[in-house]
């Protein structure tokens, strides 16, 4: 969180909602005719854009007019929980042959002879 | 020489060629499906239409039209374009639109030519015809809906392979390419049908749905599964060899390769040695290179040179063989041999190569086969002899096993006695040989790898000299090897030195405990039970006979995994290139020997491939001339002596399984099963 | 369109075929028409003889022909499947080959065809639709084994078939009152001396 954003939020921000992770979403207090109101997010922790869940992402980028209802948008049974991009972290996906990957190694493309 | 004008360019062309060939000489590509350089002309696809003046006012099939003087040929006129488009449209009436699931996709003549002459939609609403697929054995997959009836496969089977089993039955819309009575093709060259087929009707069964042609890395190399040294292209994807295709070389394999060359490659994926092993107690235990070298050094250090022996295998590259020989020399051992089968060959170069070259077969007018079954030993060379037979005016006779060689052969007899009679001029065939301008005597390993091999060799030489077959312009004495490494080994002198032992001597020494350590360089064709209590070091790429007996295993590279020089049976030095890396901890063979030599305190004087190759040239200057066949030295060889009555046997009992790679191959096993099934049916 | 195949799998093949002595003599005569070494040229004639002897051409017969003429069996199969005169399935004693090409069709081959199909039982009669038999001037034409029956209609066709049923051999040629392709009812010109 940088001071500028914090100050801006204090002065102009109007809290719209909070997502499951605790990220808070704001929009501009002022309404100027002919312009759309600025929307932004204050992260609860690391500022990582992919932590914004899809329903809030839609609102944040002005794709949706209204923010998701309190308690989250209605979910389908097949819907998975939102997961931020894990690239660069310990939890990042590594293909089976990767040096750091755990679990089963892929079979070599040949079948080795073993003394019987 | 006729003068013709092709698209306004005047050109002088050799007499007797066709208009299509003349256009090719002019640098123009004429689209074609049925025409093939090495097959007879059919003229049934009609794709190669051109306009010719003087002549009827209609396009003519250029593949079947001979050139004539003052002919004017037009290949790009609107009439020609329109005619070709019409032909293409007709071809596509019944051709399925299954390119996305067709293995030929990306290398399909029909696809390519449809780009130039095809229409972007079909004008036909009728159903396409449906043709049942045929069963052509374990190597060729058929999808007969795709067939455009070019009849290339029929002509190949009949003319080149010599098995008249494919034909076109029915007529008009119900025409089918078929064997009629479903059967696998009884030929060792069936893989070539797949290359010939301009569409996806015949595709490779083992390679079905494995890869697309554009995702493969192509490496031009040399085959080592028989002694012909066919020129091949190895297609790899990642570390895997996906397929092997022939490469054009008119001097060696034209554009054919045998089924073993093409399909034994799945053997490269099985039974591989990928790490060193050291025998501890009764068991082979995984080890590091350091431990393996340590175990060898502990055994060999201080051992007398004469108690050490080495045998080089049948598929070794020249680099590893020279490293082996230099190492043994450094260790003070004269016991080295590259002739696992015990062939009695060690004379001047002319005594152990196929002197006239494969091209010489085309010239020969009388051919004598001694103790060889070329169909099993080198099917592509056999096809070359068949080509000579089809050309006509040649007498072919054989002394040895009675086999169907796909062309008629007069069988003179079975053993050395017949050869003696022939030398003495007692048989009718002797007159034919005497009258021949270019007599050719092909001596196989079946005649030379016997007790009396040296005497047979001497007799063959006597015959050749008596027939005046060895002279300035022609040397008709030909040795047909079965091992790709043999000529290279002999060129490098991998034969017993002063007081040294040959393979039989080494094995005998092992049993008498006079030999205490044996180095097997990928040598699996010896009787390993005779190695007695000797300390056996096996360096190779497959867990075959040698590895089972070994005390230390050093994992080496197969022919696709190392750059190597091989000398084929004609004495042609050819370079194989690396298409992939050896599996696991395995390394290039000469480098292993170089590293081992350091541990033994006898460091070999080369560190790079270039230096090894310089050493090869220093040992024998034939290695300086790549892909050339030079006349070889001639001199007395062989040892006249008594012969036995034992009939000659072919050196290759089973074409499909001759080496560790083909023995590990499941596809070769399938081929063998299918072939024995065929034989049982007959 | 149905699956095409030259090798009918549903045909009951016979295990063995050999020429009878009298047919063998004819085979040898046919082969003698060609220079030595060119015996394969006799393949169509020999296949026809085999068909005459056996009624149709089982695979064993084709193999036997290949053996006699020293040809690869597939070359014989190619010839046998190419020509419609060779029957690769069992057929009745009389093969009715009804021409349905335009001239015969215009002259009423449909009715003739109907009569033939009605008679076809597979044992005495088999029926086959064929292209132009070259007898257009006497259309409609039906070839029964080696003979042409011409100028047919449904009634005369039935009459011919009935005669065959009785074991007779009706007179081949026009089934109306005309000599070959001369005008019906006798000559109209060149009557004078």
């Amino acid at each position: 969180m940088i001071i500028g954003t914090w100050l801006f939020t204090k002065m102009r921000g109007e809290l719209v909602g909070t997502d499951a992770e605790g990220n808070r979403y704001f929009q501009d207090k002022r309404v100027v005719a002919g312009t759309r109101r600025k929307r932004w997010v204050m992260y609860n922790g690391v500022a990582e854009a992919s932590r914004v869940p899809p329903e809030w992402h839609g609102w944040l980028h002005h794709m949706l007019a209204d923010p998701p209802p309190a308690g989250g948008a209605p979910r389908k049974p097949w819907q998975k929980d939102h997961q931020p991009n894990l690239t660069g972290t310990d939890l990042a996906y590594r293909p089976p042959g990767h040096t750091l990957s755990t679990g089963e190694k892929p079979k070599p493309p040949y079948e080795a002879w073993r003394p019987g | 020489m006729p003068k013709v004008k092709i698209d306004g360019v005047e050109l002088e062309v050799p007499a007797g060629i066709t208009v299509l060939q003349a256009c090719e000489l002019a640098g123009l590509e004429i689209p074609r499906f049925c025409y093939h350089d090495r097959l007879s002309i059919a003229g049934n696809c009609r794709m190669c239409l051109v306009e010719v003046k003087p002549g009827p006012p209609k396009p003519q099939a250029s593949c079947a039209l001979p050139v004539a003087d003052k002919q004017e040929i037009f290949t790009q006129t609107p009439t020609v374009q329109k005619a070709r488009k019409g032909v293409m449209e007709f071809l596509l009436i019944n051709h399925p639109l299954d390119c996305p699931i067709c293995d030929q996709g990306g290398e399909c003549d029909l696809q390519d030519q449809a780009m130039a002459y095809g229409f972007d939609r079909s004008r036909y609403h009728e159903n396409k015809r449906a043709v049942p697929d045929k069963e052509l054995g374990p190597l060729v997959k058929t999808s007969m809906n795709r067939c455009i009836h070019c009849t290339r496969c029929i002509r190949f089977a009949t003319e080149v392979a010599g098995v008249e089993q494919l034909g076109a039955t029915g007529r008009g819309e119900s025409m089918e390419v078929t064997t009629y009575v479903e059967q696998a093709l009884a030929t060792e060259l069936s893989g070539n049908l797949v290359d010939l087929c301009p569409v996806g009707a015949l595709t490779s069964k083992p390679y079905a749905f494995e890869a697309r042609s554009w995702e493969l890395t192509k490496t031009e190399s040399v085959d080592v599964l028989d002694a012909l040294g066919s020129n091949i292209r190895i297609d790899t994807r990642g570390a895997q060899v996906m397929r092997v295709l022939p490469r054009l070389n008119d001097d060696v394999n034209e554009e054919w390769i045998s089924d073993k060359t093409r399909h034994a490659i799945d053997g490269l994926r099985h039974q591989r040695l990928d790490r060193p092993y050291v025998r501890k107690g009764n068991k082979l235990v995984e080890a590091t290179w350091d431990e393996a070298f340590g175990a060898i050094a502990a055994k060999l250090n201080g051992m007398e040179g004469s108690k050490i022996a080495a045998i080089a295998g049948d598929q070794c590259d020249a680099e590893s063989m020279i490293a082996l020989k230099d190492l043994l020399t450094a260790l003070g051992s004269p016991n080295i041999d590259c002739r696992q089968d015990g062939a009695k060959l060690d004379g001047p170069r002319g005594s152990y190569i196929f002197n006239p070259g494969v091209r010489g077969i085309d010239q020969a007018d009388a051919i004598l086969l001694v103790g060889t079954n070329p169909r099993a030993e080198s099917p592509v060379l056999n096809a070359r002899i068949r080509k000579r037979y089809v050309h006509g005016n040649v007498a072919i006779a054989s002394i040895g096993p009675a086999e169907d060689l796909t062309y008629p052969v007069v069988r003179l007899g079975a053993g050395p006695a017949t050869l003696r009679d022939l030398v003495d001029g007692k048989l009718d065939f002797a007159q034919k040989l005497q009258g021949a301008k270019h007599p050719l005597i092909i001596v196989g390993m079946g005649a030379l790898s016997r007790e009396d091999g040296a005497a047979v060799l001497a007799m063959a030489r006597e015959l050749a000299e008596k027939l005046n077959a060895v002279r300035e312009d022609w040397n008709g004495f030909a040795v047909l090897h079965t091992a790709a490494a043999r000529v290279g080994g002999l060129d490098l002198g991998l034969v017993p030195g002063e007081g040294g032992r040959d393979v039989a001597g080494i094995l005998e020494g092992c049993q008498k405990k006079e030999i205490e350590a044996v180095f097997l360089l990928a040598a699996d064709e010896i009787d390993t039970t005779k190695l007695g209590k000797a300390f056996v070091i096996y360096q190779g790429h497959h867990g075959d006979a040698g590895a089972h007996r070994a005390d230390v295993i050093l994992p080496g590279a197969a022919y696709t995994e190392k750059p190597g020089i091989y000398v084929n049976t004609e004495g042609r030095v050819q370079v194989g290139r690396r298409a992939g890396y050896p599996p696991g901890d395995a390394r290039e063979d000469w480098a292993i020997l170089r590293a081992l030599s350091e541990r033994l305190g006898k460091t070999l004087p080369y560190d790079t491939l270039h230096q090894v190759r310089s050493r090869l040239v220093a040992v024998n200057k034939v290695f300086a001339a790549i892909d050339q066949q030079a006349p070889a030295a001639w001199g007395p060889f062989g040892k006249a002596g008594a012969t036995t009555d034992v009939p000659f046997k072919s050196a290759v009992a089973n074409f499909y399984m001759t080496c560790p790679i083909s023995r590990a191959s499941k596809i070769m096993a399938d081929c063998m099963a299918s072939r024995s099934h065929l034989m049982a049916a007959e | 369109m149905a699956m095409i195949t030259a090798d009918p799998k549903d045909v009951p093949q016979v295990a063995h075929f050999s020429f009878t002595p009298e047919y063998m003599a004819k085979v040898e005569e046919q082969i003698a028409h060609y220079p030595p070494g060119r015996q394969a040229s006799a393949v169509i004639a020999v296949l026809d003889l085999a068909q005459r002897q056996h009624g149709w051409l089982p695979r064993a017969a084709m193999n036997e022909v290949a053996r006699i003429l020293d040809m690869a069996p597939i070359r014989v199969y190619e010839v046998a499947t190419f020509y419609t005169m060779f029957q690769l399935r069992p057929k009745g004693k009389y093969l009715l080959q009804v021409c349905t090409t335009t001239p015969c069709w215009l002259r009423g081959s449909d009715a003739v065809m109907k009569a033939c199909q009605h008679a076809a039982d597979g044992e005495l009669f088999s029926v086959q639709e064929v292209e132009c038999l070259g007898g257009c001037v006497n259309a409609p034409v039906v070839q029964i084994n080696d003979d042409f029956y011409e100028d047919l209609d449904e009634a005369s066709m039935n009459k011919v078939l009935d005669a065959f049923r009785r074991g007779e051999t009706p007179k081949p040629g026009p089934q109306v009152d005309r000599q070959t392709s001369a005008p019906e009812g006798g000559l109209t010109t060149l009557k004078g001396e």
Side-chain angles (χ1 to χ4, degrees), chain A residues 44-95:
Chain A
N44 177 23
V46 186
E48 158 61 46
S50 70
R51 288 177 62 196
V52 175
E55 62 265 29
W56 277 108
H57 179 94
W59 174 81
L60 203 56
H61 291 259
H62 299 277
M63 289 186 284
L64 302 171
D66 302 316
R75 288 170 64 86
K76 301 280 184 216
W78 38 261
Q79 219 169 330
K80 284 188 174 173
D81 287 336
H82 173 66
Q83 194 186 36
N85 185 352
L86 298 174
T87 304
T89 71
D90 287 348
L91 297 169
Y93 170 77
R94 295 192 173 93

Side-chain angles (χ1 to χ4, degrees), chain B residues 325 329 333-337 339 493-502:
Chain B
K325 176 157 165 96
T329 311
S333 163
N335 307 321
I336 187 164
D337 203 349
R339 302 159 302 180
L494 265 81
V495 288
E498 200 88 356
R501 296 162 182 269
D502 60 2

Side-chain angles (χ1 to χ4, degrees), chain B residues 4 49 65 75 79 140 282 510 595 652:
Chain B
V4 292
L49 295 170
L65 188 70
T75 67
T79 322
V140 182
N282 238 346
C510 286
V652 174

Side-chain angles (χ1 to χ4, degrees), chain B residues 132 164 166 168 170-171 176 180, chain C residues 4-7 75 78 81-82:
Chain B
E164 266 189 276
L166 272 177
R171 65 198 289 186
E176 274 187 279
Y180 197 73
Chain C
I4 63 141
T5 175
D7 179 22
R75 298 281 102 84
E78 282 181 331
T81 52
F82 186 88

Side-chain angles (χ1 to χ4, degrees), chain B residues 272-509:
Chain B
R272 291 307 302 269
L273 298 176
D274 65 344
R275 61 196 68 178
Y277 288 93
V278 174
R279 194 174 289 275
K280 287 190 179 140
N282 238 346
K283 276 193 81 172
L284 280 166
V285 182
E286 284 176 28
T288 61
W289 278 106
D290 197 48
E291 288 163 9
F293 284 163
I296 298 171
K299 200 81 186 174
L300 292 193
N301 275 344
M303 192 183 279
E304 224 174 283
S306 63
K307 291 187 171 173
I308 305 171
I311 301 172
D314 286 352
Q315 296 181 337
C316 296
D317 52 328
E319 288 89 340
S320 65
M321 286 195 286
I322 193 64
L324 181 68
K325 176 157 165 96
D326 287 349
L327 179 62
L328 267 261
T329 311
L331 290 169
S333 163
N335 307 321
I336 187 164
D337 203 349
C338 66
R339 302 159 302 180
Q340 287 187 84
D341 53 9
K344 306 286 183 289
L345 289 167
D346 55 357
R349 195 165 199 249
S351 74
Y352 60 79
I353 66 169
F354 201 97
N355 285 297
V358 174
R359 224 181 235 285
I361 296 172
D362 300 345
Q363 244 180 311
D365 43 11
I367 301 175
L368 174 68
L369 307 169
V370 181
T372 177
N373 171 10
R375 188 172 176 187
E377 290 166 26
S378 178
V380 177
L381 187 122
N382 193 51
R384 193 81 170 218
I385 303 177
R386 180 175 158 79
K387 181 179 164 191
R388 179 67 195 85
Y389 156 74
V390 171
H391 202 68
N393 281 327
V394 64
I396 307 174
S398 128
I399 303 175
E403 303 275 355
D404 173 17
L405 297 180
T406 69
Y407 43 86
V409 175
V410 183
R411 189 161 178 264
L412 302 174
T418 317
L419 185 58
R420 183 80 257 164
D421 288 350
L422 200 60
V423 177
D424 296 343
K426 280 187 200 155
L427 300 169
D428 292 344
F429 195 74
Q431 269 72 56
K432 280 198 184 144
L433 278 173
Q434 201 75 56
K437 241 196 221 150
H438 299 288
L440 173 60
I441 302 160
I442 302 179
V443 187
M445 288 302 114
L448 301 179
S449 56
R450 323 164 9 120
E451 287 292 305
D452 55 1
V456 175
L457 187 65
M459 260 197 294
R461 177 176 62 92
E462 198 185 332
L463 179 64
E465 281 170 0
K466 207 171 150 192
L467 295 172
N468 195 22
V470 184
R471 49 180 201 253
E472 198 86 318
D473 62 326
W474 173 255
N475 187 341
F477 181 82
V479 175
L480 178 57
H481 286 271
T482 51
R486 194 61 43 81
V487 176
L490 293 167
D491 279 346
L492 294 171
L494 265 81
V495 288
E498 200 88 356
R501 296 162 182 269
D502 60 2
V503 169
I506 291 168
L507 294 178
E508 200 189 315

Side-chain angles (χ1 to χ4, degrees), chain B residues 96-250:
Chain B
L97 277 172
D98 59 359
C99 302
I101 56 151
C102 175
D103 262 332
Q104 192 85 357
E107 46 187 3
C108 174
D109 289 1
L110 189 63
Q111 225 178 13
D112 294 348
Q113 289 174 34
M115 288 304 291
Y117 300 103
F119 193 46
D120 63 353
R121 72 202 73 125
S122 174
R123 290 192 284 174
Y124 294 88
H125 303 289
E126 294 80 13
N127 287 339
K128 299 195 180 212
R129 70 181 206 140
V131 187
D133 290 345
K134 311 292 184 292
E135 174 59 45
L136 292 183
L139 299 178
V140 182
K141 185 184 163 200
T142 63
S143 179
M144 300 314 286
N145 281 348
R146 298 175 187 150
C147 179
I148 57 166
H149 303 143
C150 69
T151 68
R152 274 188 192 178
C153 50
I154 300 175
R155 283 174 282 149
F156 175 82
T158 312
E159 293 159 18
V160 179
V163 285
E164 266 189 276
Q165 289 174 346
L166 272 177
T169 61
R171 65 198 289 186
E173 198 182 28
S174 34
M175 180 170 164
E176 274 187 279
V177 172
T178 175
T179 51
Y180 197 73
V181 183
E182 299 246 309
Q183 56 183 349
L185 291 179
T187 170
E188 294 79 13
L189 296 167
S190 62
N192 295 305
L193 291 173
V194 174
D195 289 346
L196 280 172
C197 186
V199 296
L202 306 178
T203 53
S204 173
K205 213 176 241 179
Y207 173 73
F209 309 130
E210 289 283 333
R212 284 303 206 176
S213 61
W214 57 83
E215 54 183 9
L216 300 172
T217 311
K218 288 113 182 151
T219 311
E220 301 202 332
S221 189
V222 176
D223 172 50
V224 301
L225 294 168
D226 61 35
L228 184 67
S230 299
N231 289 207
I232 53 170
R233 196 185 88 191
I234 304 169
D235 284 6
T236 47
R237 189 178 58 192
Q240 263 197 57
V241 177
M242 302 306 292
R243 63 173 177 180
V244 166
L245 294 177
R247 191 151 56 89
L248 216 67
N249 190 340
D250 276 340

